[in-house]
Amino acid sequence: RGEPVELPSPEGGVSRTVRLSRPLDFAAVTDHAEWLGETSLCLRPDSRAYETFGCRAFRGEVAWLGDGLFTRIAALVGFRGRDRSICGPDAAWCREETVAAWRTTRDAAEAHYDRTSACSFTTFHAWEYSAAPGRSKVHRNVLLRNEIVPELPISWIDEPEAAGLWEKLDARCNDTGSGCEAIAIPHNPNLSNGQLFVPDRNSPLDTQRRHAALRARLEPLVEIVQAKGESECRSGIPGIVGNDELCELDKVRFIDGAAPPDCGNESGRGAMSSAGCQSRFDFARYVIVEGIREQARLGVNPYLLGFIGGTDTHNGTPGATDEADYPGHNALRDATLSQRLSGDAGGGYVPAPLRNPGGLAGIWAEENSRDALFDAMKRRETFATSGTRIVPRLFAGRDLPDDFCERPDAAAAASVTGVPMGGRLDSAPGDSRPPSFVVSARRDPGPGGGPLERIQIVKGWLDDDGQIHQQVVDVAGTAAPATSLDRKTCTRRGGGAPTLCAWWIDPSYDPTREAVYYARVLETPSCRWTALQCAALASNERPEACQDDAIPWKTQERAWTSPIWVTPARQAIAR
């Protein structure tokens, strides 16, 4: 809300105060559900478990297999999920404490939700389901429509399989008739070794169809960018036809300086240990095209995914995405620029200098209220940004006016004759006309924002052999020259626009083949936080890492709209 937040120091007290220069419209605190009870028991001196060995090891008072975060968590759980010495008989102490901790989180969300007609700030009840099989990040953020919520958050300890999570969300929330409603948002797929989205081909076909339908209903969105990297696409993945020179934004996974080996059609393990293969299923662009394949195979598309961004800060500062004022993400480890530029301040598996300040979620809704925002997320009328406040919009239709960009009622007119981002444009029998797209964007007007360079339409489809194709088309603006950014001063030189708009028809449209389209909006290149914060210091005050050429110094902020699926008339679509 733009109010100051104090961050802790390793020595106790406050290390620094941070605040957003511009408030957010909405936010969710998605705390890890797995050890809410254990953490509370181990940090509350009057608890029954406070003096247990596991709690003392968790607090770092005794050594146990080292002193890193993961070994401290292992001390909490004893490698068994629930440690009896901490949780008591039948885990009753931990259950009781989790109920209390979950209530505290809910009370905070309720206290800060503006229910007046001003709609100034909306909070969501939420948690993170943090499965990590084989040290692969298979996390999901669970968001609730309103204050009617399950008694306890569902964690991977209680339900280790994604399908089980979906079924429990239905059983404990969506199908209770109480007004409770939940969705789950896959989180950080670029670190999942493919495990978040590789299709199940081993279960009975009826089970596969049921799970695909559950996923389609309960997971309408995917997080495409956050502090631990961008999950849109990656260059060099085998079997992907077509190039995209802009796929290398904030890539955080490397093994011996190169991209990890390809997983093929399988999944791997170990991304959270900087190990294992990387899959096309780690990137949203290829997942939504794989959905076309699953639609043909199962009769239902499990990957009808809109795009959002997330900050994923562990400082409790959602929206702190200003590159020049990036305060880090782990207050006890990266309070100084020198720590943020070091290799291990980020917690290990993502080198701190490769982290970015995080992304933002944008939603097109009638008003800033829980119901309106939640409904918009369910219909995928969302967009993501890399942290900037670009505002994009995309429509597709058969009869969209070609003077869209000149019309004062452009969005209203497009809403009547077309479908918005997140929707599907179905072809009528005998109608082989190519769809037209109208896309617009306005720049971030704030001090950290830059002029818009161009808008691109990204198209994906499968050929007759089942191979994934990608095509990227510039539809508005032009690429900035390589000399447009001064490294020493971080000054941008000319070019760009405050707004861009385009009306476009796909010249290679095939009326017999389903395709998926989304827009990507690019700012002109700018200095990354690593360069901006180094440049802000006097030369004799800069950490040695400021001279490290291996640390990226520039970036290109961007926004992504949710996709629009264009389906042929002959295809029966399961809705």
Side-chain angles (χ1 to χ4, degrees), residues 395 400-401 403-416 438 440 501:
F395 294 89
L400 295 177
D403 64 347
F404 170 87
C405 293
E406 286 74 50
R407 296 178 61 151
D409 64 340
S415 298
V416 171
V438 289
S440 63
C501 185

Side-chain angles (χ1 to χ4, degrees), residues 356-426:
N356 69 84
L360 294 175
I363 302 175
W364 282 104
E366 296 82 0
E367 65 179 13
N368 185 23
S369 67
R370 283 177 177 168
D371 280 337
L373 294 171
F374 196 86
D375 286 339
M377 285 189 282
K378 285 179 61 180
R379 65 178 183 261
R380 302 177 294 271
E381 202 165 347
T382 61
F383 60 93
T385 87
S386 59
T388 183
R389 297 199 182 191
I390 298 170
V391 178
R393 204 151 200 187
L394 176 69
F395 294 89
R398 306 288 178 189
D399 301 298
L400 295 177
D402 58 7
D403 64 347
F404 170 87
C405 293
E406 286 74 50
R407 296 178 61 151
D409 64 340
S415 298
V416 171
T417 60
V419 298
M421 63 179 82
R424 288 195 295 204
L425 182 64
D426 296 338

Side-chain angles (χ1 to χ4, degrees), residues 172-490:
R172 300 180 186 179
C173 181
N174 295 357
D175 290 346
T176 61
S178 64
C180 182
E181 188 174 2
I183 59 173
I185 302 173
H187 159 63
N188 229 164
N190 62 319
L191 292 168
S192 75
N193 300 105
Q195 290 196 44
L196 264 170
F197 291 113
V198 167
D200 172 17
R201 301 290 175 88
N202 298 316
S203 300
L205 201 58
D206 285 349
T207 300
Q208 294 182 43
R209 289 194 179 103
R210 180 168 57 83
H211 288 170
L214 266 174
R215 186 198 286 266
R217 178 164 55 83
L218 291 175
E219 295 193 350
L221 305 173
V222 63
E223 181 188 81
I224 198 171
V225 64
Q226 56 105 270
K228 300 185 192 76
E230 176 251 82
S231 301
E232 180 197 8
C233 56
R234 187 160 197 169
S235 299
I237 293 181
I240 307 297
V241 180
N243 297 319
D244 183 355
E245 62 185 15
L246 293 171
C247 275
E248 295 312 300
L249 176 73
D250 290 330
K251 292 296 175 282
V252 299
R253 283 212 62 202
F254 296 93
I255 296 177
D256 295 329
D262 180 53
C263 296
N265 290 319
E266 306 298 326
S267 60
R269 299 162 65 88
M272 294 174 68
S273 299
S274 303
C277 59
Q278 191 157 62
S279 168
R280 65 183 182 278
F281 293 99
D282 289 346
F283 299 99
R285 177 184 298 175
Y286 314 125
V287 172
I288 59 175
V289 180
E290 287 287 344
I292 299 173
R293 193 191 319 275
E294 292 299 281
Q295 169 71 53
R297 189 176 73 88
L298 299 174
V300 59
N301 185 342
Y303 304 139
L304 291 169
L305 297 166
F307 297 159
I308 66 162
T311 310
D312 195 39
T313 171
H314 288 66
N315 286 335
T317 51
T321 60
D322 185 344
E323 300 272 340
D325 197 32
Y326 166 53
H329 282 300
N330 298 278
L332 302 182
R333 300 174 65 106
D334 60 5
T336 68
L337 176 59
S338 180
Q339 289 173 322
R340 291 193 288 278
L341 290 172
S342 72
D344 61 356
Y349 61 94
V350 177
L354 294 186
R355 288 178 181 247
N356 69 84
L360 294 175
I363 302 175
W364 282 104
E366 296 82 0
E367 65 179 13
N368 185 23
S369 67
R370 283 177 177 168
D371 280 337
L373 294 171
F374 196 86
D375 286 339
M377 285 189 282
K378 285 179 61 180
R379 65 178 183 261
R380 302 177 294 271
E381 202 165 347
T382 61
F383 60 93
T385 87
S386 59
T388 183
R389 297 199 182 191
I390 298 170
V391 178
R393 204 151 200 187
L394 176 69
F395 294 89
R398 306 288 178 189
D399 301 298
L400 295 177
D402 58 7
D403 64 347
F404 170 87
C405 293
E406 286 74 50
R407 296 178 61 151
D409 64 340
S415 298
V416 171
T417 60
V419 298
M421 63 179 82
R424 288 195 295 204
L425 182 64
D426 296 338
S427 302
D431 189 350
S432 60
R433 292 176 299 162
S436 55
F437 295 85
V438 289
V439 56
S440 63
R442 67 174 183 264
R443 65 165 285 173
D444 179 345
L452 302 181
E453 180 192 80
R454 50 186 157 151
I455 299 178
Q456 300 176 313
I457 297 288
V458 179
K459 176 185 177 183
W461 72 98
L462 296 171
D463 64 21
D464 290 339
D465 296 323
Q467 197 163 30
I468 293 176
H469 288 250
Q470 60 183 4
Q471 182 182 24
V472 182
V473 181
D474 291 350
V475 297
T478 56
T483 57
S484 63
L485 180 65
D486 186 302
R487 180 171 184 174
K488 291 183 179 179
T489 64
C490 290

Side-chain angles (χ1 to χ4, degrees), residues 139-182:
H139 295 192
R140 289 166 163 86
N141 289 323
V142 178
L143 266 65
L144 287 303
R145 176 185 284 275
N146 51 39
E147 74 280 4
I148 305 169
V149 303
E151 180 188 20
L152 289 170
I154 301 163
S155 78
W156 72 262
I157 297 174
D158 309 307
E159 179 46 66
E161 300 297 331
L165 169 66
W166 304 327
E167 289 165 348
K168 281 185 170 60
L169 287 176
D170 271 351
R172 300 180 186 179
C173 181
N174 295 357
D175 290 346
T176 61
S178 64
C180 182
E181 188 174 2

